[in-house]
Amino acid sequence: MPTAKSFSLSSLNTQAYRFFRWVLPPIFGLFLLIVIWSLISEKTPELPGPIKTWVSAVELFSDPFYDHGINDKGVGWNILASLQRVGLGFGLAALIGIPLGFIIGRFEFISRMTAPVISLLRPVSPLAWLPIGLLVFKAANPAAIWVIFISAVWPMIINTAVGVGKVPQDYMNVAKVLNLSEWKIVTKILFPFVLPYMMTGVRLSIGVAWLVIVAAEMLTGGVGIGFWVWDEWNNLNVEHIIIAIFVVGIVGLLLELILTQIAKRFSYE
């Protein structure tokens, strides 16, 4: 007859198995990346290996917020400057894109009216909008924010509109029977149903925004992670470029995880 001790050991073994099943695959993936990186760096002397890059990263992040003038700031300031631009552009995209998505999904005439415009402008490369921003705003910083906005707005519009279009007709029939106002329809029926679609658009938008800001800052200059990468390339500091690649990836991952947690927090499921 099984004892309490045997049940405890069995439960412990199950938890250990689940833990290692969750932890080991990412570890093996990172280990494989490091091995491939090491092999390539041995064949390419100009490319720093993992150990050399790690030493440089420790030195770099020992003082990430130093300030020796406009063209010599720590990596921390550059990351914060890029996040500020992304936050402004992304926030403007959300303020305009989400309500516009509700309107497009709600009214067929507006949907058909905006469809060719969206189809025409959405595939345009984000950096193609940069000269327009520089022409209109006469400054690099607002031009970079403009590029973020125009890149991030499309996923929000499209996903929100798709979500509104998928609301069951029965829900709308009930709203007509109850003679609900348009505000009540949006807040009590559309928003809870559309929220998962809307959050998917938001997650896609933040990924696009963070992807584009690096390229935009390379062209516009100033303080930012993109400009920092370009400046380090001009100084032939390849270790810092590799570190910047990891920084961009980690920050992008954290942004997506934050939005995922927000989506779960406000889920109506």
Side-chain angles (χ1 to χ4, degrees), residues 45-141:
E46 297 84 3
L47 180 67
I51 296 176
K52 188 176 181 181
T53 303
W54 174 258
V55 172
S56 182
V58 171
E59 180 182 355
L60 184 67
F61 284 97
S62 63
D63 186 15
F65 291 102
Y66 73 83
D67 189 348
H68 297 159
I70 187 64
N71 293 322
D72 188 11
K73 293 180 180 289
V75 64
W77 292 118
N78 287 282
I79 294 172
L80 290 178
S82 295
L83 286 173
Q84 182 182 30
R85 292 189 184 99
V86 169
L88 289 172
F90 176 80
L92 289 172
L95 286 175
I96 295 175
I98 292 175
L100 187 57
F102 273 100
I103 294 170
I104 292 173
R106 183 79 176 92
F107 302 103
E108 183 181 357
F109 176 80
I110 297 179
S111 176
R112 296 180 65 183
M113 181 181 70
T114 55
V117 178
I118 294 175
S119 299
L120 177 67
L121 299 181
R122 185 176 63 87
V124 176
S125 172
L127 292 183
W129 294 102
L130 184 58
I132 304 298
L134 291 171
L135 180 66
V136 172
F137 298 108
K138 312 295 184 183
N141 192 54

Side-chain angles (χ1 to χ4, degrees), residues 132-269:
I132 304 298
L134 291 171
L135 180 66
V136 172
F137 298 108
K138 312 295 184 183
N141 192 54
I145 295 171
W146 154 254
V147 172
I148 295 303
F149 164 79
I150 201 66
S151 304
V153 74
W154 306 120
M156 295 190 200
I157 293 175
I158 294 170
N159 280 272
T160 304
V162 168
V164 174
K166 289 185 178 294
V167 174
Q169 187 59 42
D170 291 345
Y171 292 9
M172 306 310 296
N173 293 337
V174 171
K176 289 181 180 179
V177 170
L178 296 177
N179 198 24
L180 296 180
S181 65
E182 190 65 32
W183 176 251
K184 288 285 186 180
I185 292 174
V186 171
T187 56
K188 300 298 183 181
I189 297 176
L190 296 183
F191 183 78
F193 187 90
V194 174
L195 186 59
Y197 295 89
M198 187 177 72
M199 291 307 301
T200 299
V202 168
R203 289 175 57 192
L204 291 173
S205 293
I206 196 65
V208 171
W210 186 242
L211 179 71
V212 169
I213 189 61
V214 176
E217 287 174 342
M218 283 184 177
L219 298 177
T220 58
V223 181
I225 192 69
F227 172 74
W228 185 71
V229 170
W230 190 248
D231 191 49
E232 295 303 313
W233 167 249
N234 290 329
N235 295 327
L236 298 179
N237 197 339
V238 185
E239 293 97 331
H240 286 184
I241 295 174
I242 296 174
I243 293 168
I245 291 172
F246 282 101
V247 168
V248 170
I250 291 170
V251 173
L253 177 62
L254 291 175
L255 290 174
E256 185 169 346
L257 288 175
I258 290 171
L259 288 175
T260 301
Q261 293 303 314
I262 293 174
K264 290 180 180 178
R265 175 67 178 83
F266 292 98
S267 176
Y268 282 78
E269 297 179 358

Side-chain angles (χ1 to χ4, degrees), residues 5-26:
K5 184 177 181 180
S6 65
F7 276 120
S8 177
L9 288 174
S10 176
S11 176
L12 184 62
N13 290 334
T14 301
Q15 292 178 2
Y17 171 75
R18 290 176 178 174
F19 174 76
F20 285 111
R21 187 180 179 184
W22 178 68
V23 169
L24 287 180

